[in-house]
Amino acid sequence: MKLKIVPARMGLQWVKLGIRTFFRQPLALSGLFLMFMVITWAAGSVPVVGSALVLALLPACTLGFMAACKEAATGNFPMPAVFFSAFRAGRQQVRAMLVLGVLYGLGLWMITGITALFDNGAFMARHLAGQMPTVEMVQDPATKTAILVFLALQLPLSLMFWHAPALVHWHHMPPLKSMFFSLVACLRNFWAYALFGLAWMGVAMGSLLFLVLLASLVGSPQLLGVVLPPVLMLIASMVLSSTYFTFRDCFDTSTGETHDIPTPAPGAL
């Protein structure tokens, strides 16, 4: 496997490609995002094992949206069946994708458990229940520390799984090896990913500011509550659309400068 090193400005290019691809097929990609939300909601509604089921399906759902964006980027209309690409690739790859989901869930639960060391489990209880921390909790120094620890540990976990589903699906990698290569790719292209994240934060903040000003101009604060959810959904769809291009440009070795990705010791994976 070769790793393509990209310049920092590629982070902005990924954002542009994600937005452009979304508007090529807005109805299809919006519909697939709604399907993504419905599947995760339905899985989360299963008694007892709901939260675990959501985490197990998350890599497969992410891969499905990336496959749809790949179709849209080539000018094709992504059919709903594309969303289930991870489950149509053979038994071995389906098993590998589900293993990724289990590993992600274990990692997230481990991180959440670590936060209990700082606030006696207050943040952990809210997080596992799918609830946001209250204002009073955020103002508490112990819970604030727990939240910061959670965010700091979640970042490397997210980087390990950023490209892992695509590597399992398109490059037939074992789960642990795909996580290793995903982390290396993100770290070696750190500035491109940093600019990518900052650009999407700017898009989200700019959209929110525009909607607040619009609601103020028309004298209808209720407008913000009506318009904000679909706008955030569209932005989330475009962010997911852009993730395909981060994978394509970091692992496509046909052009540009490439470097060997260091392979871990045989017993490490």
Side-chain angles (χ1 to χ4, degrees), residues 93-234:
Q93 283 179 267
V94 170
R95 188 184 301 115
M97 197 69 69
L98 292 177
V99 168
L100 273 183
V102 171
L103 291 174
Y104 181 71
L106 290 175
L108 194 60
W109 285 338
M110 185 180 300
I111 290 171
T112 306
I114 291 174
T115 66
L117 300 174
F118 300 90
D119 67 345
N120 294 320
F123 170 75
M124 180 179 69
R126 299 284 296 186
H127 182 74
L128 293 179
Q131 301 172 345
M132 296 294 292
T134 63
V135 176
E136 291 77 13
M137 291 177 63
V138 174
Q139 291 175 344
D140 179 69
T143 304
K144 186 183 298 185
T145 301
I147 294 173
L148 292 175
V149 168
F150 176 80
L151 294 175
L153 295 177
Q154 190 185 32
L155 178 59
L157 182 69
S158 299
L159 296 182
M160 283 191 288
F161 287 90
W162 188 268
H163 296 300
L167 289 169
V168 166
H169 182 73
W170 281 307
H171 290 278
H172 308 284
M173 279 193 179
L176 291 178
K177 187 174 290 187
S178 71
M179 291 164 56
F180 172 78
F181 287 161
S182 176
L183 179 62
V184 171
C186 292
L187 293 178
R188 296 283 291 273
N189 289 297
F190 173 81
W191 292 112
Y193 284 98
L195 192 56
F196 173 78
L198 290 173
W200 276 122
M201 288 176 59
V203 170
M205 294 301 295
S207 301
L208 177 60
L209 180 60
F210 173 77
L211 293 177
V212 170
L213 292 175
L214 181 62
S216 300
L217 288 175
V218 300
S220 177
Q222 297 81 6
L223 180 65
L224 184 62
V226 173
V227 178
L228 185 58
V231 169
L232 291 178
M233 185 191 74
L234 291 177

